[in-house]
Amino acid sequence: VMEPRIYLVVNVDADPDPVDTPADNDAVLEKYKIVQQLINERCSGKAVISVHSSPLYRERFIQSPFVDFWKEWTSGGGDLVLHMEEDFYALPENRRASSTGFENLEIVEQAMKETVSALSSEGLTCRAYRGGSNSMTPEIAEVLTELGISVDLSCAPGLIWKERAVNWARAPLSGYFMSPQALARAVDPGGQGPLLEIPLGWDGINDGDTAPRKPNHHYLANESSTYEDLCRVWNVILERADNSGNHQAVSLLSHTHTAKTARFHSQLDAFLRFVT
């Protein structure tokens, strides 16, 4: 069997929606299960899903009925991602456009540890992390190492949103071991680091004069793209693998909140069929 030219992490962001008046548990779980069925059919269950933690919802996703769903997901071959959403899901009085939500690291660190501990008590492990808005700081990277989390999915090469601790300018386009001092840089060539960064797939194109803040149609980001663009970006990454002689390790981002939106659900289905 030939070695794959691309190793793809299918990353399912399970943030509740909408932000201000979220659906009840049954409605959220209905969307989770729709995506789960698709992942089972197209990826044999092998995808990651995020366990949401935010100022609005510290306890919700580490309690029943969600814990039961996480167990079902992992028993089917999937993994869990610790996903801190400190900005969009901030308390109303603290919500600011220029805030990352990570200013008070002590609170965030405690929330991370409590989430991981609660899951561990149920026999569940978060093997990866992703920051809200693709944010990452050296302090968070250090906490991840302390928690035993060795994979990060925050990187989106080319994105810059410094007010929200997003600065992936000139980040490697394929999986790399992060330098603790410069998050968008790899450790010395061939070196190993405590945190393996798996970037969002990107075609390397920036349309404007300024770097985008959020993933657009140049990324493997389902809701920000079209089927044609997703396939085009995939083919660019394939060509990159062939030209470099090295396989590529990238991620694809999709969200559970679009599970019942026909366009995005069918688009994800079609793209995963194209990929596999």
Side-chain angles (χ1 to χ4, degrees):
V1 179
M2 291 182 61
E3 184 180 38
R5 293 146 74 195
I6 303 178
Y7 290 96
L8 178 68
V9 175
V10 179
N11 182 13
V12 179
D13 186 328
D15 286 344
D17 84 297
V19 171
D20 295 312
T21 54
D24 60 33
N25 286 349
D26 288 342
V28 173
L29 279 171
E30 181 186 11
K31 292 186 175 183
Y32 283 15
K33 290 181 181 295
I34 290 171
V35 175
Q36 182 186 31
Q37 181 178 350
L38 177 57
I39 294 300
N40 287 341
E41 291 174 356
R42 302 298 171 215
C43 306
S44 300
K46 293 178 174 64
V48 301
I49 192 167
S50 59
V51 179
H52 174 106
S53 177
S54 69
L56 285 180
Y57 308 113
R58 289 299 186 207
E59 307 289 334
R60 182 179 187 182
F61 295 98
I62 52 176
Q63 296 178 341
S64 181
F66 296 101
V67 165
D68 295 328
F69 181 80
W70 307 141
K71 290 180 179 178
E72 187 179 334
W73 183 277
T74 55
S75 68
D79 281 301
L80 302 181
V81 175
L82 176 63
H83 184 43
M84 306 300 291
E85 265 287 11
E86 301 298 298
D87 44 16
F88 293 119
Y89 291 85
L91 297 172
E93 62 269 24
N94 295 331
R95 196 172 296 154
R96 305 188 305 277
S98 61
S99 170
T100 68
F102 290 113
E103 287 86 354
N104 193 329
L105 182 67
E106 184 176 336
I107 291 177
V108 177
E109 181 176 354
Q110 184 66 25
M112 294 170 73
K113 290 180 176 178
E114 290 178 356
T115 302
V116 169
S117 177
L119 293 171
S120 179
S121 71
E122 295 287 345
L124 293 163
T125 302
C126 276
R127 296 182 62 193
Y129 173 85
R130 178 172 166 263
S133 304
N134 299 98
S135 63
M136 176 53 70
T137 68
E139 293 79 13
I140 293 295
E142 185 176 339
V143 173
L144 295 179
T145 300
E146 294 175 8
L147 290 173
I149 293 175
S150 58
V151 178
D152 180 47
L153 299 169
S154 304
C155 179
L159 289 195
I160 300 177
W161 193 355
K162 293 185 178 180
E163 296 85 354
R164 290 228 162 131
V166 178
N167 189 358
W168 297 110
R170 296 179 295 281
L173 305 183
S174 180
Y176 66 98
F177 286 101
M178 174 192 290
S179 168
Q181 293 77 30
L183 307 181
R185 298 287 184 276
V187 294
D188 293 338
Q192 301 271 312
L195 203 56
L196 173 63
E197 193 67 53
I198 303 180
L200 190 63
W202 183 41
D203 63 9
I205 297 173
N206 183 356
D207 284 335
D209 295 331
T210 58
R213 290 180 164 186
K214 300 179 180 180
N216 54 29
H217 63 284
H218 292 293
Y219 294 84
L220 293 182
N222 185 36
E223 290 81 11
S224 305
S225 194
T226 64
Y227 174 71
E228 292 76 18
D229 272 314
L230 290 171
C231 294
R232 179 187 56 77
V233 173
W234 180 262
N235 285 331
V236 168
I237 299 171
L238 278 177
E239 184 177 2
R240 186 183 300 151
D242 291 340
N243 291 340
S244 68
N246 298 315
H247 69 253
Q248 302 291 292
V250 298
S251 67
L252 161 75
L253 180 62
S254 190
H255 293 75
T256 53
H257 70 72
T258 62
K260 297 180 74 173
T261 304
R263 174 198 159 186
F264 292 120
H265 185 69
S266 61
Q267 177 171 288
L268 179 62
D269 182 23
F271 180 67
L272 290 176
R273 281 189 282 114
F274 171 80
V275 164
T276 52

